[in-house]
Amino acid sequence: MSDTTTAPAPSALDICNIALSKLGESPIISIDANATLPQRMCYLHYHPVRREVLCVNRWSFAVKKATLHSSEQGGSAEHAVPHTLPTDCLRVLEVGSPGWTLRGRCIFCPAQDVTLRYIADVEDTSLFDPLFVEAFALRLACKMCIPLVNSTTMRQSLLEEYQRIALPQASHFNAVQEHSNDESHPLFRLWRQSLGRGE
């Protein structure tokens, strides 16, 4: 009888240890601002790098929708009113109003109520897909490479793996998954070929 137990999703600590393993560092037992250098580097870089990698692609698990309301009366393009972004908004994707402008943490547009799609600041690692985790860990390893290993050669190698392999692969399969039933999507044929179904 086969074991169908599902492996638990990686935690923030697991992701940090994946990154440290890429640097040849030993695993840590906690992310701590007042402990060893690897623990301090993970504490310093984990969340900024997480937000960075979230921002660079339209990850399906991080896309959220909201309706924004302005307390000011809507008007014309000459009288755009402010709509405050959600606190967890990292990157604006779509705004359901023509002629909108982003200024700081506010969207200005003529409508009093407007729909928004955005990349959210997702912290729950159980929502991360495996390819995102790999890309995230590589980028985290890049950030920690100089203080922990002091090797520009290793850092460049990790950066190239992140930019040329891990991030494009994660982005590609995220797009395929999001549009897997849409045969008109340009990635559909590539997805079929990856499964041996190409014509």
Side-chain angles (χ1 to χ4, degrees), residues 54-157:
L54 281 169
C55 282
V56 298
N57 188 58
R58 188 181 177 129
W59 306 107
S60 57
F61 67 83
V63 175
K64 291 180 68 173
K65 183 179 180 180
T67 299
L68 308 182
H69 175 76
S70 177
S71 59
E72 297 184 25
Q73 186 67 38
S76 63
E78 291 74 27
H79 180 63
V81 295
H83 302 75
T84 303
L85 292 175
T87 56
D88 65 344
C89 178
L90 290 179
R91 173 186 162 199
V92 173
L93 297 176
E94 300 164 11
V95 178
S97 175
W100 62 274
T101 302
L102 178 64
R103 301 175 194 162
R105 296 290 298 176
C106 284
I107 288 173
F108 286 79
C109 66
Q112 190 171 20
D113 294 290
V114 64
T115 57
L116 169 73
R117 285 188 185 274
Y118 65 96
I119 295 294
D121 187 6
V122 178
E123 295 190 45
D124 184 354
T125 60
S126 69
L127 300 177
F128 298 168
D129 65 54
L131 293 176
F132 174 86
V133 169
E134 175 65 13
F136 178 12
L138 269 168
R139 188 63 180 134
L140 186 57
C142 290
K143 289 289 187 179
M144 299 191 296
C145 187
I146 297 302
L148 295 182
V149 184
N150 195 26
S151 172
T152 55
T153 302
M154 179 182 287
R155 183 183 184 279
Q156 184 61 34
S157 177

Side-chain angles (χ1 to χ4, degrees), residues 15-26:
I15 294 171
C16 286
N17 279 327
I18 294 170
L20 290 171
S21 72
K22 295 178 184 299
L23 300 173
E25 294 286 321
S26 299

Side-chain angles (χ1 to χ4, degrees), residues 11-17 28-35 38-44 46-47:
S11 64
L13 180 61
D14 292 330
I15 294 171
C16 286
N17 279 327
I28 57 176
I29 60 172
S30 66
I31 301 171
D32 192 332
N34 299 300
Q39 288 172 297
R40 297 200 306 272
M41 289 300 99
C42 288
Y43 180 88
L44 177 66
Y46 178 85
H47 287 298

